[in-house]
Amino acid sequence: MKRILERTWRKLSPWIKERLEERPELRRKAIAYYYLVRLHRPVGIYLLLWPTIGALWLAAGGIPSFGLLFIFVSGTVVMRSAGCCINDFADYHIDGEVLRTRERPLATGELSRRDALRGFVALSLVGFALVLFTNLPTILLAIAAIPIIALYPFLKRVTHMPQVALGVAFSWGILMAFTAQTGGLATQAWLLFLANCLWTVVYDTQYAMVDREYDRRLGMKSTAILFGDSDNMMIGLLQVMFIAAMWLAGRQFDLGLPYFLSLVGASLLFAWQQILTSDRQPEACFRAFVNNQWVGALVFLGIVLG
């Protein structure tokens, strides 16, 4: 499979480059799509990737097959990109009012809502095509994931807890990793799912703290607004619950010392995030959010070594 993909890309890349040079408007649109799916900001990919392939490693009891690893790594990139498309589709009328998002392609008019919707559908179909190479339980889980991904961006209009829905969406790949590898869902898979939901609420609340004042003015809702002055305390509680759940998971999977040391390292990173967000400054809150990619990488490394 790897050789086939490499040969295909070598043949297609000159053709793609030639088409873009011939049609400058197509090139402009391709660049706009690049920014729409946030490939220039890969932190979201890492936050989705580390727990998913960590679950794949645990389900396989070691290094998974190249085929499954390719499917889940590619699927992570594709579905995170699809999520960005539907998010901007939902927020097209408010992104221009927020400092952090006012340069997004739909806010500037470089792309239309129809373009974003087309991107969501196309990328979702690519993601589904990848899952077809697994098994029936994984395919059924993939079908169930689409409405969750599609509904999440709209929930900030009706509930203060859209971060919980994002937690479910970002943890769904853990369940799919287990069904793809084993054909079923062990109890430990649900423990990892719960732990990742907790962690997602942590970093997405930090993310929401960046835009909290804009969201209040625009009538949007988030856990950052719900928690108010208790935001750091609630984030700290969720961080402790995440570490506790991952410690239990380590015991369930009989992981070794490197894994538990990785949880110690993750705890230190969480402490640093608490310091960053203590003054609620938007830039520092965003740094705390980005720091979570290292939490995920560290725990994944602990899984591999453990």
Side-chain angles (χ1 to χ4, degrees):
M1 182 184 289
K2 184 178 180 181
R3 290 173 183 168
I4 292 173
L5 290 169
E6 288 175 347
R7 285 200 299 268
T8 303
W9 175 247
R10 281 198 297 269
K11 290 178 181 178
L12 285 177
S13 54
W15 180 87
I16 294 172
K17 184 177 180 181
E18 185 179 341
R19 298 288 84 73
L20 291 176
E21 288 175 349
E22 288 175 356
R23 299 178 59 185
E25 74 283 357
L26 183 62
R27 179 173 178 168
R28 284 194 298 271
K29 200 153 197 173
I31 293 171
Y33 267 112
Y34 173 83
Y35 285 105
L36 173 67
V37 299
R38 319 276 202 277
L39 290 180
H40 63 302
R41 297 188 183 276
V43 60
I45 294 174
Y46 300 139
L47 293 172
L48 183 56
L49 178 66
W50 298 129
T52 302
I53 60 173
L56 192 62
W57 236 266
L58 290 171
I63 301 175
S65 68
F66 172 79
L68 280 182
L69 192 58
F70 173 81
I71 288 169
F72 278 90
V73 171
S74 302
T76 294
V77 176
V78 167
M79 293 314 297
R80 186 263 184 168
S81 300
C84 291
C85 290
I86 198 65
N87 181 81
D88 285 16
F89 174 86
D91 291 348
Y92 79 102
H93 63 299
I94 63 173
D95 277 347
E97 305 295 324
V98 179
L99 179 63
R100 184 181 56 83
T101 60
R102 62 179 54 169
E103 296 301 321
R104 287 179 176 176
L106 267 69
T108 61
E110 294 174 89
L111 293 176
S112 67
R113 291 188 85 200
R114 181 175 294 182
D115 290 326
L117 191 59
R118 285 172 178 164
F120 173 72
V121 172
L123 289 165
S124 296
L125 288 173
V126 172
F128 186 69
L130 288 168
V131 174
L132 291 176
F133 291 94
T134 57
N135 55 29
L136 181 59
T138 310
I139 292 171
L140 294 176
L141 281 174
I143 293 171
I146 297 298
I148 299 171
I149 297 169
L151 285 174
Y152 158 70
F154 298 94
L155 293 178
K156 68 178 78 173
R157 293 154 179 79
V158 296
T159 176
H160 280 95
M161 302 187 72
Q163 282 70 27
V164 175
L166 183 68
V168 173
F170 265 45
S171 304
W172 208 258
I174 293 172
L175 304 181
M176 292 174 63
F178 270 85
T179 56
Q181 184 65 53
T182 68
L185 287 171
T187 304
Q188 298 95 319
W190 291 105
L191 181 57
L192 290 171
F193 176 85
L194 174 61
N196 201 67
C197 285
L198 293 169
W199 180 42
T200 306
V201 175
V202 166
Y203 61 69
D204 204 44
T205 301
Q206 294 166 337
Y207 192 63
M209 289 169 72
V210 178
D211 299 332
R212 180 157 44 192
E213 297 311 313
Y214 290 100
D215 286 342
R216 280 181 177 145
R217 192 179 73 225
L218 295 167
M220 298 294 106
K221 299 176 173 66
S222 70
T223 47
I225 294 174
L226 177 66
F227 295 157
D229 292 339
S230 301
D231 47 9
N232 267 355
M233 182 185 72
M234 293 300 297
I235 288 171
L237 178 61
L238 291 167
Q239 288 169 332
V240 170
M241 292 170 67
F242 166 73
I243 294 295
M246 293 303 289
W247 181 84
L248 288 173
R251 295 291 298 273
Q252 290 286 323
F253 285 103
D254 197 26
L255 297 178
L257 181 62
Y259 172 77
F260 294 100
L261 289 176
S262 76
L263 295 185
V264 174
S267 300
L268 294 174
L269 289 174
F270 281 155
W272 171 239
Q273 292 171 23
Q274 285 285 321
I275 294 171
L276 285 172
T277 57
S278 60
D279 292 331
R280 280 83 174 179
Q281 294 300 312
E283 185 178 337
C285 291
F286 188 77
R287 287 172 58 199
F289 160 73
V290 172
N291 183 260
N292 282 280
Q293 65 183 312
W294 301 111
V295 172
L298 190 57
V299 174
F300 173 69
L301 182 62
I303 289 172
V304 172
L305 298 178

